[in-house]
């Protein structure tokens, strides 16, 4: 805004000393692009003692061309211009500012421009946060959609590999080729899980966990991951209490951070993982989030590596952002960490100094004292891929209604279940399944249904079928379910969930678990 409520008074004008009326905003008087006078507010804003006789452009890091166009031969008041201000050329930006211009002349002095600067740094930061939040939300929605379709393809690929491995055992000429296909399918499935973790759309198996137990389980694996050239130190806090997390996902967080630290220390160093309790008394800014007051279990992962500059730290949790060479990383590791921590209700921040190292700090809400019953996490040291052919032994009895809109997935699942001895009735949609039920289908022993289908979704169909078959056991399968559908699944009650992509063994085990008389 332009201050026009005051009128200049006659002054004695001396060279390079133009007297200005007192103004609350940072203000300068410029003649021919050179600052002739500046009020104390401008000095404080820029952190300089004497800006007199310096070109106005020497204080502008970004926006010089816009200012020049605004002042060049302007006969009317130019529109405000947004710029980045600096104290010295080549220095880091001091603040973002909006400049307002007004023609002004002393009675006995040169005419020039009265320029007022309004600090808009907070506004710009808020705008950037909104843009970043929208970008992350858009990528998350895209990731969820990709995960649903891609997991259907991977379920069929991995499933048919399992069926082939029943006929081509170890020693067969085709065994190694089939295992290569399956292992690469599992790697693709891991990437999809990372996308879901980033977008906070994965299904978590939450329990009360003691962080010390998680780290104890992981210590041997971490030492192998980081190699002999890096020293691993673990410092356990006392009386940590419990946190509500998915133990397996929390282990993945620690592993990802440890691998990231290892890559930052190619010549060796020290990796320190420490835990403690911290009481947050007041709401605290944590990146783009606000951390509520309360007791938190804190996990810090510190390396003595190369460190990161501020511009890298600002983007470190963005998906697909990586400082590694092309082909050396997906850029999903730390965004996965961020997604898992936030979906768990926690917070994460990074502090880094070039040449000193980096610390990632995780805050997880503390939920119970140590004396409460606790869940001990199962060790995750096994490789994620199955290195042996599936066991075809074992069978079952019972009737299953299988509802799946993807033909390859339905065909694989039906073939697998029939090979186990179950009687399977197939339906390619929720509407088709309901037609079967209304047409006199004998009550099955188990319903297996996809969650996301064209037309009626899985949870809605389950409610309809329960009108005809009350208490029918249900297994829902999905590669991705949006927030509303996940809430519907939770509201339905005792329903088992099988994440796509699943293997022959996983499907058979889940069915045996839920089939009446076999669990």
């Amino acid at each position: 805004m332009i201050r026009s409520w005051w009128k200049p008074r006659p002054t004695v004008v001396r060279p390079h000393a133009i007297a200005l009326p007192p103004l609350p905003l940072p203000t300068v008087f410029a003649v021919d692009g050179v600052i002739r006078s500046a009020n104390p507010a401008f000095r404080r804003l820029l952190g300089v003692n004497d800006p007199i006789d310096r070109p106005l452009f020497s204080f502008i890091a970004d926006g010089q061309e816009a200012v020049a166009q605004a002042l060049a031969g302007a006969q009317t008041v130019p529109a405000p211009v947004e710029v980045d201000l600096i104290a010295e050329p080549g220095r880091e930006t001091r603040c973002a500012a909006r400049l307002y211009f007004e023609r002004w002349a002393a009675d006995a002095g040169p005419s020039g421009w009265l320029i007022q600067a309004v600090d808009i740094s907070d506004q710009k930061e808020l705008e950037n946060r909104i843009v970043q939040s929208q970008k992350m939300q858009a990528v998350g929605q895209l990731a969820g959609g990709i995960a649903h379709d891609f997991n259907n393809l991977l379920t069929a690929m991995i499933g048919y590999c399992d069926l082939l491995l029943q006929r081509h055992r170890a020693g067969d000429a085709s065994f190694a080729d089939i295992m290569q296909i399956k292992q690469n399918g599992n790697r693709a499935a891991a990437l999809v899980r990372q996308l879901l973790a980033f977008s906070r759309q994965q299904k978590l198996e939450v329990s009360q966990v003691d962080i010390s137990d998680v780290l104890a389980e992981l210590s041997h694996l971490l030492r192998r991951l980081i190699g002999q050239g890096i020293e691993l130190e673990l410092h356990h806090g006392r009386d940590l209490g419990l946190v509500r997390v998915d133990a397996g996902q929390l282990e993945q967080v620690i592993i990802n951070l440890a691998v990231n630290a290892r890559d930052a220390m190619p010549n060796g160093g020290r990796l320190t993982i420490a835990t403690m309790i911290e009481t947050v008394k007041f709401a605290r800014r944590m990146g783009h989030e606000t951390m509520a007051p309360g007791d938190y279990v804190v996990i810090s992962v510190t390396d003595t590596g190369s460190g990161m500059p501020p511009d890298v730290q600002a983007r470190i949790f963005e998906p697909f952002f990586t400082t590694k060479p092309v082909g050396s990383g997906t850029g999903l590791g730390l965004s996965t960490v961020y997604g898992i921590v936030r979906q768990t209700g926690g917070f994460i921040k990074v502090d880094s100094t070039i040449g000193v190292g980096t610390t990632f700090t995780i805050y997880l809400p503390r939920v119970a004292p140590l004396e409460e019953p606790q869940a001990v996490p199962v060790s995750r040291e096994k490789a994620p891929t199955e290195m042996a052919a599936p066991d075809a032994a074992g069978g079952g009895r019972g009737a299953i209604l299988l509802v799946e809109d993807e033909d390859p997935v339905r065909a694989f699942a039906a073939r697998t279940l029939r090979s186990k001895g179950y009687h399977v009735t197939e339906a390619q949609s929720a509407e088709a399944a309901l037609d079967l039920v209304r047409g006199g289908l004998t009550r099955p022993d188990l319903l297996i249904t996809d969650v996301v289908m064209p037309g009626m979704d899985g949870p809605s169909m389950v409610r309809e079928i329960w009108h005809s078959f009350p208490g029918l056991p249900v297994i829902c399968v999905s590669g991705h379910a949006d927030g509303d559908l996940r809430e519907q699944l939770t509201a339905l009650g005792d329903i088992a969930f099988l994440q796509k992509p699943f293997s022959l063994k996983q499907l058979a085990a889940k069915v045996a678990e839920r089939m009446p008389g076999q669990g």
Side-chain angles (χ1 to χ4, degrees):
M1 61 183 181
I2 300 173
R3 301 282 183 175
S4 59
W5 41 263
W6 55 270
K7 294 183 181 298
R9 295 172 292 181
T11 57
V12 177
V13 180
R14 298 182 177 85
H16 310 309
I18 305 299
L20 296 175
L23 293 173
L25 293 174
T27 307
V28 298
F29 177 72
V31 178
D32 297 329
V34 177
I35 296 177
R36 296 297 181 85
S37 182
N39 69 349
F42 185 84
R43 293 184 174 93
R44 289 193 299 270
L45 179 66
L46 272 295
V48 294
N49 294 324
D50 189 8
I52 309 303
D53 288 338
R54 285 182 53 185
L56 173 63
F57 289 160
S58 68
F59 296 101
I60 299 176
D62 185 27
Q64 292 186 1
E65 183 176 352
V67 174
Q69 291 176 353
L71 298 181
Q75 300 301 318
T76 59
V77 176
V81 176
E82 293 184 1
V83 300
D84 289 336
L85 296 180
I86 53 176
E88 299 285 347
R91 298 276 294 277
E92 293 184 2
T93 299
R94 183 85 179 187
C95 69
R98 183 178 293 115
L99 302 184
Y100 295 86
F101 308 91
E102 183 174 0
R103 279 287 190 184
W104 186 76
D107 290 347
S111 63
W113 288 98
L114 192 66
I115 304 172
Q116 295 176 324
V118 177
D119 188 347
I120 58 172
S121 299
D122 291 342
Q123 174 187 333
K124 285 296 183 181
E125 182 181 357
L126 180 59
E127 291 175 355
N128 290 335
R129 287 178 182 175
I130 294 174
V131 171
Q132 178 73 2
S133 176
Q134 291 173 339
K135 181 172 68 174
M136 300 286 268
Q137 182 179 5
V139 174
Q141 291 173 344
L142 175 63
I146 291 175
H148 174 259
D149 294 336
F150 203 50
N151 274 331
N152 278 328
L153 299 175
L154 291 172
T155 300
M157 290 168 57
I158 295 172
Y160 280 105
C161 283
D162 284 341
L163 293 175
L164 285 171
L165 289 170
Q166 289 184 334
R167 301 195 302 271
H168 301 275
R169 300 285 181 156
D172 188 285
S174 299
F175 177 81
D177 295 337
I178 298 171
M179 285 303 302
Q180 280 291 331
I181 296 173
K182 183 176 181 182
Q183 288 172 24
N184 280 281
N186 284 327
R187 288 181 61 191
L191 286 176
V192 175
R193 284 194 296 271
Q194 286 183 306
L195 286 171
L196 287 175
F198 154 70
S199 58
R200 310 180 205 175
Q201 294 173 346
Q202 61 182 345
K203 183 175 176 61
L204 299 180
E205 300 294 336
V206 176
S207 60
Q208 291 191 349
V209 172
D210 179 11
I211 296 298
S212 298
D213 289 340
V214 174
L215 294 178
E217 289 282 340
L218 277 179
S219 58
H220 299 296
L221 175 60
L222 291 176
R223 285 188 170 90
R224 291 202 298 270
L225 281 174
I226 62 178
Q228 297 182 352
I230 298 176
E231 178 185 359
L232 176 64
E233 293 185 1
L234 296 177
H235 301 290
H236 297 286
R238 300 183 60 183
D239 300 326
L240 294 179
L242 304 177
V243 294
R244 284 184 55 80
V245 298
D246 183 315
Q249 294 296 327
L250 180 60
E251 289 180 354
Q252 189 62 51
V253 166
I254 303 300
I255 290 172
N256 282 7
L257 293 178
V259 170
N260 193 69
R262 178 199 65 191
D263 294 342
M265 297 183 288
N267 299 319
R270 182 173 62 257
L271 173 63
T272 304
I273 302 177
T275 59
M276 60 177 290
I277 288 290
E278 182 173 337
T279 299
V280 177
K281 296 183 179 180
F282 306 99
R284 179 187 301 176
R285 291 297 305 174
M286 192 67 66
H288 300 307
E289 313 284 349
T290 300
M291 185 166 64
D295 291 334
Y296 290 85
V297 177
V298 180
I299 309 171
S300 63
V301 180
T302 303
D303 64 63
T304 57
S306 54
M308 296 179 287
D311 60 324
V312 173
Q313 294 182 53
R315 301 185 59 192
I316 198 66
F317 296 121
E318 289 185 14
F320 311 116
F321 174 77
T322 179
T323 57
K324 298 178 181 178
V326 176
S328 300
T330 62
L332 286 172
L334 291 177
S335 63
T336 298
V337 167
Y338 177 84
I340 292 173
V341 171
R342 289 298 297 127
Q343 189 176 6
T344 304
F347 301 86
I348 183 170
K349 70 172 183 176
V350 59
D351 298 289
S352 186
T353 303
I354 296 293
V356 176
T358 300
T359 297
F360 287 90
T361 308
I362 299 169
Y363 297 80
L364 298 174
R366 187 172 187 250
V367 296
L370 193 59
E371 291 75 20
E372 295 285 333
Q374 56 189 1
V376 179
V378 179
S379 174
R380 264 79 176 177
E381 293 195 19
K382 294 187 295 183
T385 56
E386 298 175 38
M387 297 305 295
D391 184 7
R397 295 181 180 178
I400 297 173
L401 174 57
L402 174 63
V403 188
E404 170 61 63
D405 64 296
E406 287 287 333
D407 294 340
V409 177
R410 189 177 67 254
F412 152 67
R415 181 174 169 182
T416 297
L417 295 172
R418 288 182 179 124
S419 71
K420 295 295 182 180
Y422 299 107
H423 175 77
V424 181
T425 301
E426 300 179 44
Q428 63 180 2
S429 67
E431 292 81 2
L434 292 175
D435 288 342
L436 289 172
V437 172
R438 293 163 184 157
L441 177 70
T442 303
R443 177 188 173 103
D445 298 294
L446 179 66
L447 168 64
I448 302 176
T449 179
D450 193 7
V451 174
V452 180
M453 296 181 288
M456 181 180 290
D457 57 64
S460 300
M461 182 199 67
V462 170
R463 282 191 290 267
E464 292 292 327
I465 289 182
W466 275 350
H467 289 310
S468 301
F469 304 136
L472 176 66
V474 178
I475 298 175
C476 282
V477 298
S478 182
H480 157 68
D482 63 27
D484 291 340
L485 289 178
R486 288 200 301 272
E487 291 178 2
Q488 291 184 45
L489 283 176
T490 303
L492 284 174
D494 184 22
I495 290 184
F497 186 85
L498 183 59
Q499 178 74 45
K500 291 180 180 178
F502 51 81
S503 67
L504 184 155
K505 277 188 173 182
Q506 290 170 328
L507 175 61
K510 183 64 70 172
V511 170
E513 174 188 314
R514 298 295 293 182
M515 182 66 72
Q518 297 185 34

